[in-house]
């Protein structure tokens, strides 16, 4: 979605429906003609779960699962309006037990498709945003798979949907899969990692976590590999609940290095471009925050380590909903957070991170006509700007500080 130009962002709900329909139609044709596509044919079938994959192809697939599922039961988020249904529904969630699926001669395509040697799409480890079932997977928009590179040895798949372009999904989804592999296969020493590694910030995160010690195969959208053994860890954050194990793994791997002299009160800006979830009244709001001692942080102009250090130093963080809040992973115990939403898109993923930070205090402020979006309503105006009275923000900050 974020690949759409900002002026087209309001059309996202329609674009997504057309995308799903096109995948269904294209896939129907592609699966009916796999015989003419040769070794680069699209998947001819799919399984709903890793257990189904192993049952269907026991000779070439193995599954190692450790422990049991974890049930998260968190306290209700506090904010305006009180007890918003999105946060009520997010209180309880189940995180699957760690596992690793091993596929002999398995194929990974782009950052969102895992295929067995017999042409079966494993949908559980190939999950994609906003689709009803595997027939709508974007793999079926391809006429043929990309040219497939054969790789010897064990290749550990870290890539997953969203990780190629989004900071949140890279931190909470891609990187922690290495930790899941460590739990599931403690003796595994992969010969290579398959992960998005094409941008400076992705390379920086791989280096800072020490994962660059392994050869890294870039999970490009136009690329595909066939590994002698494709090792695919489970995906613990599919519901964006920020599993505590993942947050703890990131905090241990990505410590702050220099918090001296960093500001204690942060306001995180999303800039001024329309249809980017910016605060429309930021020009009026910012002087009021500056008077209170806040520092305006623009993460887009900072290195990964600088972002980590600033968030680790902060006592109070105020921000519109956006990927920069992923850095709450690095916040210190006792941090206070105010997150601002528009009614047409409320997402509790950063509240979930705050629940993993000891003694943190989180507040939300939702503006606009909340009644238009009752429980279960589609909230797909993902990039809508936030129209908020600065006085509301200041009042919410006062409530946060008094909590």
């Amino acid at each position: 979605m974020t690949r759409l130009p900002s002026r087209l962002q309001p059309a996202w709900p329609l674009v997504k429906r057309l995308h799903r329909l096109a995948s269904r139609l294209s896939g129907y044709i592609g699966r009916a003609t796999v015989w003419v596509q040769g070794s680069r044919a699209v998947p001819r079938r799919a399984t709903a779960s890793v257990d189904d994959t192993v049952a269907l192809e026991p000779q070439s697939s193995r599954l190692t699962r450790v422990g049991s599922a974890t049930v998260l039961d968190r306290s209700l988020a506090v904010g305006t309006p009180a007890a918003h249904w999105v946060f009520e529904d997010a209180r309880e969630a189940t995180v699957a037990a760690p596992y690793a699926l091993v596929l002999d001669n398995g194929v990974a395509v782009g950052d969102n498709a895992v295929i067995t040697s017999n042409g079966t799409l494993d949908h559980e480890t190939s999950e994609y945003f906003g689709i009803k079932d595997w027939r709508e997977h974007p793999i079926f928009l391809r006429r043929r798979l990309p040219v497939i590179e054969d790789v010897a040895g064990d290749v550990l798949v870290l890539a997953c949907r969203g990780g190629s372009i989004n900071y949140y999904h890279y931190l909470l989804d891609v990187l922690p899969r290495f930790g899941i592999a460590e739990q599931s296969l403690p003796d595994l020493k992969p010969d290579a990692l398959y992960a998005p590694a094409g941008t400076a910030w992705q390379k920086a995160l791989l280096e800072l976590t020490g994962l660059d010690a392994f050869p890294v195969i870039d999970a490009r959208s136009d690329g595909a590999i066939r590994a002698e053994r494709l090792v695919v860890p489970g995906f613990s954050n599919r519901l964006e609940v920020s599993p505590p194990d993942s947050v703890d793994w990131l905090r241990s791997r990505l410590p702050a290095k220099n918090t001296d002299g960093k500001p204690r009160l942060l306001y995180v800006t999303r800039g001024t471009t329309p249809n980017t979830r910016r605060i429309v009244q930021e020009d009026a709001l910012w002087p009021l925050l500056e008077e209170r001692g806040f520092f305006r942080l623009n993460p887009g102009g900072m290195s990964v380590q600088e972002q980590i250090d600033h968030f680790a130093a902060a006592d109070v963080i105020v921000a519109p909903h956006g990927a920069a809040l992923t850095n709450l992973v690095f916040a210190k115990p006792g941090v206070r957070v105010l997150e601002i939403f528009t009614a047409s898109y409320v997402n509790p993923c950063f509240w979930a991170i705050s629940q993993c930070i000891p003694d943190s205090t989180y507040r939300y402020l939702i503006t606009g006509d909340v009644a238009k979006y009752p429980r279960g309503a589609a909230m797909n105006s993902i990039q809508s700007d936030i129209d908020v009275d600065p006085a509301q923000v200041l009042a919410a900050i006062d409530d946060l500080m008094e909590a």
Side-chain angles (χ1 to χ4, degrees), residues 323-338:
L325 281 176
T326 309
N327 290 302
L328 288 175
V329 164
F330 313 114
K332 63 185 177 183
V335 68
R336 295 169 182 260
V337 182
L338 172 64

Side-chain angles (χ1 to χ4, degrees), residues 110-141:
D111 67 354
N112 57 39
V114 170
I115 305 169
T116 72
S117 58
N118 290 320
T120 302
L121 178 72
D122 182 80
H123 191 222
E124 182 173 339
T125 59
S126 305
E127 187 171 293
Y128 194 72
F129 300 109
I131 62 177
K132 299 289 187 181
D133 63 39
W134 64 268
R135 295 170 186 82
E136 295 176 349
H137 196 284
I139 191 75
F140 296 111
L141 290 174

Side-chain angles (χ1 to χ4, degrees), residues 175-198:
L175 296 178
R177 296 185 89 181
F178 189 89
I180 293 171
E182 289 178 314
Q183 293 180 66
S184 307
L185 299 170
D187 295 328
L188 175 68
K189 294 180 175 57
D191 296 289
L193 307 180
Y194 182 74

Side-chain angles (χ1 to χ4, degrees), residues 37-373:
Q37 298 174 44
S39 61
R40 291 166 55 194
V42 297
R44 58 192 178 91
R45 60 188 179 185
T47 53
S49 71
V50 289
D51 296 285
D52 292 341
T53 296
V54 173
L56 182 66
E57 301 182 21
Q59 301 304 315
S60 58
S61 60
R62 297 169 296 286
L63 180 66
T64 301
R65 184 179 275 114
V66 296
S68 57
T70 301
V71 177
L72 302 178
D73 186 1
R74 292 162 163 170
S75 59
L76 179 62
V78 177
T80 303
H84 189 278
W85 66 267
V86 166
F87 290 98
E88 284 192 328
D89 291 354
R91 285 184 60 187
E92 296 182 2
T94 300
V95 178
Y99 68 78
L101 175 68
V102 180
L103 300 175
D104 296 335
N105 297 309
V107 173
V109 181
D111 67 354
N112 57 39
V114 170
I115 305 169
T116 72
S117 58
N118 290 320
T120 302
L121 178 72
D122 182 80
H123 191 222
E124 182 173 339
T125 59
S126 305
E127 187 171 293
Y128 194 72
F129 300 109
I131 62 177
K132 299 289 187 181
D133 63 39
W134 64 268
R135 295 170 186 82
E136 295 176 349
H137 196 284
I139 191 75
F140 296 111
L141 290 174
R142 301 173 184 263
R143 294 178 61 188
R144 302 174 72 188
L145 299 183
V147 173
I148 300 173
E149 174 189 358
D150 286 301
V151 183
D154 297 322
V155 177
L156 178 59
V157 175
L158 303 184
C160 59
R161 86 287 188 272
S164 292
I165 58 174
N166 185 278
Y167 188 69
Y168 170 84
H169 291 293
Y170 202 87
L171 269 173
L172 269 297
D173 299 345
V174 173
L175 296 178
R177 296 185 89 181
F178 189 89
I180 293 171
E182 289 178 314
Q183 293 180 66
S184 307
L185 299 170
D187 295 328
L188 175 68
K189 294 180 175 57
D191 296 289
L193 307 180
Y194 182 74
T199 68
W201 60 267
Q202 290 166 349
K203 293 173 183 175
L205 282 167
L206 290 169
E207 179 181 355
L208 290 170
T209 53
L211 297 185
D212 66 335
F214 301 92
V216 178
I217 302 169
D218 186 13
R220 306 186 319 271
S221 61
D222 62 348
I225 64 164
R226 179 187 294 107
E228 190 173 354
R229 286 171 299 278
L230 194 71
V231 183
V232 190
F235 180 42
S236 63
N237 193 43
R238 59 174 30 90
L239 298 177
E240 299 182 358
V241 297
S242 302
D245 283 353
S246 295
V247 173
D248 290 345
W249 188 90
L250 290 167
R251 287 171 71 87
S252 68
R253 288 281 186 143
L254 294 165
K257 293 182 178 178
N258 180 17
T259 59
D260 293 342
K262 298 291 190 298
R264 302 307 186 199
L265 307 179
L266 293 185
Y267 169 70
V268 184
T269 181
R270 286 185 64 83
T272 60
T273 303
N275 301 313
T276 58
R277 220 180 300 119
R278 63 180 176 132
I279 299 287
V280 176
Q281 294 84 357
E282 185 166 308
D283 285 347
L285 173 63
W286 170 240
L288 302 174
L289 294 177
E290 190 173 27
E291 287 179 4
R292 294 185 173 214
F294 278 83
F295 173 82
R296 180 157 51 180
L297 189 77
N298 181 3
M302 306 174 74
S303 71
V304 170
Q305 188 63 59
E306 287 173 330
Q307 293 182 56
I308 293 171
D309 292 346
H310 274 80
F311 273 76
D315 296 322
V316 180
I317 299 168
V318 176
H321 177 77
L325 281 176
T326 309
N327 290 302
L328 288 175
V329 164
F330 313 114
K332 63 185 177 183
V335 68
R336 295 169 182 260
V337 182
L338 172 64
E339 185 174 11
I340 308 169
F341 300 90
T342 187
S344 60
Y345 184 64
V346 181
N347 186 323
C349 62
F350 300 123
W351 162 78
I353 293 176
S354 76
Q355 297 299 289
C356 300
I357 309 302
D359 302 319
S360 65
T361 302
Y362 174 95
R363 294 288 185 268
Y364 63 82
L365 172 61
I366 303 172
T367 69
D369 190 357
V370 176
K372 286 180 61 178
Y373 302 93

